[in-house]
């Protein structure tokens, strides 16, 4: 999955929602899908989302030092796991282990780390929806604004001739779930699924006073 940077514009007026994107373009369809989802649950359509909490869990640690130093400078609260969490602490980030946040330890040899309602609730909760916000308070769920995740190298494991058991363990479960949850709630959550996207995201946050935009 790759992040898509939308360049269409949206106006909310007394008669509803007006889209300013090229007719028939991918941007226009994505805008319609996003706002349609929000309207369905009564969520807010906002221009900017302040990045206060990020979830970072990566296999490929390319660019992690620069990213970690950026998140530290922005005073972003970071949720993370395993080796990623250790590296981010080295780079000055305020890191809370996902296991400490959820109250559930990593289990099954690390197969289950982020598959928890306190993680996916923070990704999927529609901002501005009273019921969702009430559920978050009741269950101690914090909103997650930014997700940095990349996946286990399954293709590479197969290409290198790994045995069946090794290849099976390189099928990522938690990562794809977080990508899909972030995509579904794209009005409130920014997802970076490749180190090649870090620079653009950091540029946007710097230019918008600590916020992402669409």
């Amino acid at each position: 999955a790759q992040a898509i940077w939308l360049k269409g514009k949206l106006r909310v007026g007394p008669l509803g929602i007006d889209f300013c994107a090229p007719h028939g373009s991918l941007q226009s369809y994505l805008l319609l899908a996003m706002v349609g989802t929000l309207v369905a649950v009564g969520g807010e359509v906002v221009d900017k989302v302040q990045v206060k909490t990020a979830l970072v869990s990566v296999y490929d640690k390319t660019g992690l030092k620069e990213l970690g130093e950026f998140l530290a400078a922005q005073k972003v609260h970071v949720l993370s796991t395993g080796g990623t969490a250790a590296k981010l602490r080295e780079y000055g980030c305020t890191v809370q282990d996902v296991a400490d946040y959820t109250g559930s330890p990593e289990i099954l040899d690390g197969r289950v780390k982020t598959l928890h309602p306190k993680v996916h609730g923070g990704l999927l909760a529609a901002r501005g929806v009273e019921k969702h916000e009430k559920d978050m308070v009741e269950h101690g769920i914090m909103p997650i604004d930014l997700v940095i995740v990349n996946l286990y190298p399954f293709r590479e494991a197969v290409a290198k001739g790994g045995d069946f058991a090794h290849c099976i363990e390189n099928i990522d479960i938690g990562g794809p779930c977080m990508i899909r949850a972030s995509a579904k709630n794209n009005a409130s959550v920014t997802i970076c699924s490749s180190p090649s996207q870090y620079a653009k995201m950091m540029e946007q946050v710097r230019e918008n006073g600590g916020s992402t935009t669409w």
Side-chain angles (χ1 to χ4, degrees), residues 61-128:
K61 294 178 175 53
T62 301
L64 189 61
K65 184 175 188 294
E66 182 180 5
L67 174 69
E69 291 173 347
F70 168 79
L71 294 174
Q74 294 290 322
K75 302 187 185 308
V76 174
H77 180 72
V78 176
L79 298 171
S80 191
T81 61
T84 304
K87 285 290 184 183
L88 289 172
R89 288 190 178 96
E90 289 180 19
Y91 305 144
C93 290
T94 300
V95 179
Q96 181 178 12
D97 287 319
V98 167
D100 290 338
Y101 166 58
T102 62
S104 297
E106 295 182 11
I107 60 173
L108 306 180
D109 295 321
R111 284 186 170 195
V112 178
K113 300 176 184 177
T114 57
L115 296 169
H116 193 281
K118 290 185 73 171
V119 172
H120 285 273
L123 296 176
L124 288 164
R127 314 292 168 85

Side-chain angles (χ1 to χ4, degrees), residues 170-188:
N170 275 276
I171 296 175
D172 204 314
I173 304 300
C177 290
M178 290 189 287
I179 290 172
R180 292 176 72 92
S182 302
K184 180 167 183 172
N185 201 23
N186 62 84
S188 300

Side-chain angles (χ1 to χ4, degrees), residues 96-171:
Q96 181 178 12
D97 287 319
V98 167
D100 290 338
Y101 166 58
T102 62
S104 297
E106 295 182 11
I107 60 173
L108 306 180
D109 295 321
R111 284 186 170 195
V112 178
K113 300 176 184 177
T114 57
L115 296 169
H116 193 281
K118 290 185 73 171
V119 172
H120 285 273
L123 296 176
L124 288 164
R127 314 292 168 85
V129 177
E130 183 177 354
K131 177 63 166 61
H132 288 205
E133 293 184 351
K134 181 180 177 181
D135 285 347
M136 292 176 75
V137 171
E138 181 180 349
H139 298 288
I141 297 171
M142 70 173 72
I144 298 171
D145 312 299
L146 173 65
V147 175
I148 309 289
V149 61
N150 55 64
L151 308 182
Y152 295 161
F154 175 73
R155 180 181 298 177
E156 290 82 354
V158 173
K160 290 178 180 178
D163 61 29
F164 183 78
H166 175 71
C167 293
I168 285 294
E169 289 307 315
N170 275 276
I171 296 175

Side-chain angles (χ1 to χ4, degrees), residues 34-58:
M34 180 193 74
V35 178
T37 299
L38 287 173
V39 169
V41 296
E44 294 178 334
V45 178
V46 296
D47 291 329
K48 296 183 179 181
V49 175
Q50 190 79 21
V51 178
K52 298 178 181 178
T53 301
L55 195 157
V56 186
S57 183
V58 295

